[in-house]
Amino acid sequence: MSAAHEESRQAAIEGLRNWLPLNQGNGELLAKAIQDGFQTDEAEIVLRLLWGYTEQDAMNRATSDQLVGWLDHPSLTIRELTFYHIYQLTGTKYDYLPMRSAVQRRAAIARWEERVNMIGALVGQPID
């Protein structure tokens, strides 16, 4: 997969995320399409990722650990969607590219794991 395709995948993610809340029935339509195209366990993850995450979610350790774990998922779709959210929430890439091999992704994932361990989540608690 080339970098040019990365822009297309990003546009598709953003398009679906923008379309999803426009109509109450869109969630059901998307769920049906996802269930037809993915195994059950993967379909649940993809749907969750398409609904998205908030900054508050990224302050939660369990959610952060789950997202970082999905960076190493066998499915490119899940890795791509996960990284989309992690980058949107943190503004950091750590040289991670979803289409790289597991060995090539490992160093970047280790940096994400280190970040979660240091901060306690992907995003630290805001200071008042």
Side-chain angles (χ1 to χ4, degrees):
M1 293 187 182
S2 70
H5 292 112
E6 181 178 358
E7 291 175 3
S8 298
R9 291 189 307 270
Q10 293 295 317
I13 291 168
E14 290 179 16
L16 281 171
R17 289 195 27 77
N18 288 331
W19 169 80
L20 198 51
L22 291 178
N23 184 308
Q24 194 171 25
N26 288 354
E28 288 181 31
L29 290 172
L30 183 61
K32 173 86 171 96
I34 297 294
Q35 289 165 355
D36 289 347
F38 291 89
Q39 296 176 11
T40 303
D41 58 331
E42 288 184 352
E44 291 173 13
I45 296 169
V46 169
L47 282 170
R48 175 62 185 101
L49 288 164
L50 285 170
W51 278 107
Y53 291 84
T54 65
E55 186 175 359
Q56 193 70 28
D57 293 329
M59 292 179 192
N60 178 282
R61 175 65 185 248
T63 300
S64 296
D65 284 338
Q66 184 175 57
L67 285 167
V68 171
W70 286 340
L71 290 174
D72 204 27
H73 197 279
S75 167
L76 174 59
T77 301
I78 290 172
R79 293 193 310 266
E80 187 83 43
L81 285 163
T82 299
F83 184 61
Y84 170 86
H85 289 295
I86 289 176
Y87 178 66
Q88 295 297 315
L89 292 163
T90 67
T92 304
K93 291 188 176 187
Y94 291 140
D95 199 30
Y96 177 88
L97 292 174
M99 73 284 294
R100 288 185 176 162
S101 72
V103 170
Q104 293 171 318
R105 293 190 312 266
R106 189 66 230 147
I109 293 170
R111 292 184 72 190
W112 286 111
E113 291 167 342
E114 182 180 325
R115 177 190 180 111
V116 171
N117 286 331
M118 286 179 57
I119 297 174
L122 284 167
V123 176
Q125 297 290 330
I127 299 172
D128 293 329

